[in-house]
Amino acid sequence: MNDQPTDKKTSIDDSVFTQHESEVRSYCRSWPTVFGQARGSWLTDTSGDRYLDFFAGAGALNYGHNNPVLKSALLEYIESDGITHGLDMATVAKGRLIEEFTSKILAPRDLDYKIQFPGPTGTNAVESALKLARKVTGRESIVSFTNAFHGMTLGSLSVTGNSMKRAGAGIPLVHATPMPFDNYLGGAVEDFSWFERVLDDSGSGLNLPAAVIVETVQGEGGVNVARAEWLRALSELCRRRDILLIVDDVQMGCGRTGEFFSFEEAGIKPDIVTLSKSISGYGLPLALVLIRRDLDVWSPGEHNGTFRGNNPAFVTAARAIEHYWSDDSLSRDVHMKGRQINEVLSTLAARHEGVSTRGRGMARGLVFAEPADAGKVCAAAFGAGLLAETSGPSDEVVKLLPPLTISTEDLDHGLGILADATEEVLA
């Protein structure tokens, strides 16, 4: 297989985790081994066993582990004593990222956004977007959607659908109203009929919201895909009602669905966009908020964060944009591999009653009518050397997020493991 590291790290007693790490840990329970190295699409544990990665850091590693193009730029920057921690000071690394992002990402798509650097995670970006929407409009309410996931801090949780995650807040989550996501009601109710009616009805109890926040593909929610026409209708509704449209592209941006932004397929231009996860390219913490120019009404320091100036992440982000987004080669490759994944998953779905598939680009899900089967498939796949996680309100979906740069050989190998695991569980 490609990109397999051969050197082993010193073994670590896994009791250090079970005895001393908080019970909140989760992924290590599904994948009970100690990882030591990673390269490309592969991880190696301390026993020398290799695992093909269809998880990609929950979408933070679109370009794979230790991508050599990005690693060389990072090592060169560190060796030259480049700025590491810069808050929001002007630095060479930040300036180069802004130049690359505006010239290669925004300008070719006719997008005129100001760039905010909030704290370095996706939930920081979402919190910033919600605060700004309320500041701009003077309104409090935010409309979100069923099965949405936007982060684990209080503001982000208020617009997240999952009941278990919401319960962790420990306090009421207010000033947010959920609406049905595309096809949530199985086509039984006309799109937006409920939303539009409560906006018009003075007795509905819904105040005119400051913003609507939406994922074009709900990853954590179960790989639920919004149709392009649904997104266009939502954008038009927001425009007519003077409601800001926020697209959360934290997981589905940076090429995951094919184009750089997941909303490009619909031809819409959100008022605010949140990015994180793979925007640094290397797995280093970084988040951006893209703000329609006339909405940038922040006062200096009104929203800040100690680690919003992660300059090593600026370096790898700029290099990733320069290398992968100067043309449409990666985008075309993602669409091709997406079709390859869909073909295998569709074949599995056709073979087994109660199994279906959905997704866009290289964000794909295998859906099980019996939710427990999804977890069993992931466990069997792990035993055969593949990392994949479950998602959806009942963990009923095997979610696949392989690195966008994975070779077709490795992609085939991983899909074969998944197919075998599915056959084993459903036999």
Side-chain angles (χ1 to χ4, degrees), residues 89-108:
M89 294 183 290
T91 66
V92 170
K94 184 199 281 187
R96 287 178 177 164
L97 170 57
I98 293 173
E99 288 176 344
E100 289 293 326
F101 193 82
T102 54
S103 66
K104 291 186 171 63
I105 302 299
L106 297 183

Side-chain angles (χ1 to χ4, degrees), residues 163-242:
S163 59
M164 184 273 286
K165 292 180 173 66
R166 290 175 63 87
I171 62 171
L173 297 169
V174 297
H175 306 307
T177 303
M179 292 290 170
F181 191 70
D182 190 14
N183 202 41
Y184 180 76
L185 299 172
V189 175
E190 184 182 355
D191 288 326
F192 302 118
S193 61
W194 171 250
F195 191 7
E196 290 196 273
R197 178 165 180 174
V198 295
L199 284 172
D200 289 336
D201 185 356
S202 60
S204 70
L206 177 69
N207 296 327
L208 183 66
V212 170
I213 185 167
V214 66
E215 304 155 275
T216 67
V217 180
Q218 296 180 326
E220 293 298 310
V223 198
N224 305 310
V225 181
R227 293 167 297 143
E229 54 266 36
W230 187 88
L231 291 168
R232 285 193 290 269
L234 177 62
S235 177
E236 175 61 20
L237 175 63
C238 289
R239 188 193 64 78
R240 291 198 315 267
R241 305 299 183 123
D242 192 28

Side-chain angles (χ1 to χ4, degrees), residues 390-406:
T390 59
S391 70
S394 301
D395 286 322
E396 74 278 16
V397 181
V398 175
K399 182 173 72 171
L400 305 183
L401 297 174
L404 308 184
T405 53
I406 191 172

Side-chain angles (χ1 to χ4, degrees), residues 256-270:
R256 175 54 59 183
T257 63
E259 286 67 40
F260 185 88
F261 295 111
S262 71
F263 56 81
E264 289 182 56
E265 179 187 70
I268 63 174
K269 293 184 178 182

Side-chain angles (χ1 to χ4, degrees), residues 40 82 87 93 115 122 125 135 150 167 169 186 210-211 290 301 316 335 338 348 354 360 363 394 419:
L87 294 163
I115 303 169
K135 179 179 173 65
H150 296 289
L290 309 181
T316 54
H335 284 295
L348 282 171
R360 271 181 59 200
S394 301

Side-chain angles (χ1 to χ4, degrees), residues 3-137:
D3 297 322
Q4 297 176 1
T6 55
D7 297 331
K8 298 180 184 178
K9 293 290 186 183
T10 304
S11 180
I12 293 178
D13 184 351
D14 63 8
S15 67
V16 70
F17 307 107
T18 57
Q19 292 183 23
H20 300 292
E21 189 180 2
S22 167
E23 294 301 313
V24 78
R25 65 191 188 280
S26 61
Y27 289 117
C28 58
R29 299 179 191 273
S30 299
W31 304 322
T33 190
V34 179
F35 296 103
Q37 283 186 295
R39 185 181 304 154
S41 303
W42 292 86
L43 293 98
T44 305
D45 70 12
T46 53
S47 298
D49 294 324
R50 293 186 290 266
Y51 297 84
L52 188 54
D53 189 1
F54 274 23
F55 172 65
L61 296 165
N62 280 2
Y63 312 106
H65 297 268
N66 287 302
N67 183 299
V69 173
L70 310 184
K71 180 164 66 174
S72 62
L74 177 61
L75 292 175
E76 181 181 343
Y77 183 76
I78 293 172
E79 182 64 28
S80 69
D81 290 332
I83 300 293
T84 295
H85 179 272
L87 294 163
D88 67 356
M89 294 183 290
T91 66
V92 170
K94 184 199 281 187
R96 287 178 177 164
L97 170 57
I98 293 173
E99 288 176 344
E100 289 293 326
F101 193 82
T102 54
S103 66
K104 291 186 171 63
I105 302 299
L106 297 183
R109 293 161 177 82
D110 192 28
L111 297 172
D112 186 22
Y113 290 128
K114 298 284 289 293
I115 303 169
Q116 179 186 350
F117 295 84
T121 69
T123 196
N124 293 143
V126 170
E127 294 283 357
S128 302
L130 300 182
K131 286 172 65 175
L132 182 60
R134 287 169 170 141
K135 179 179 173 65
V136 167
T137 64

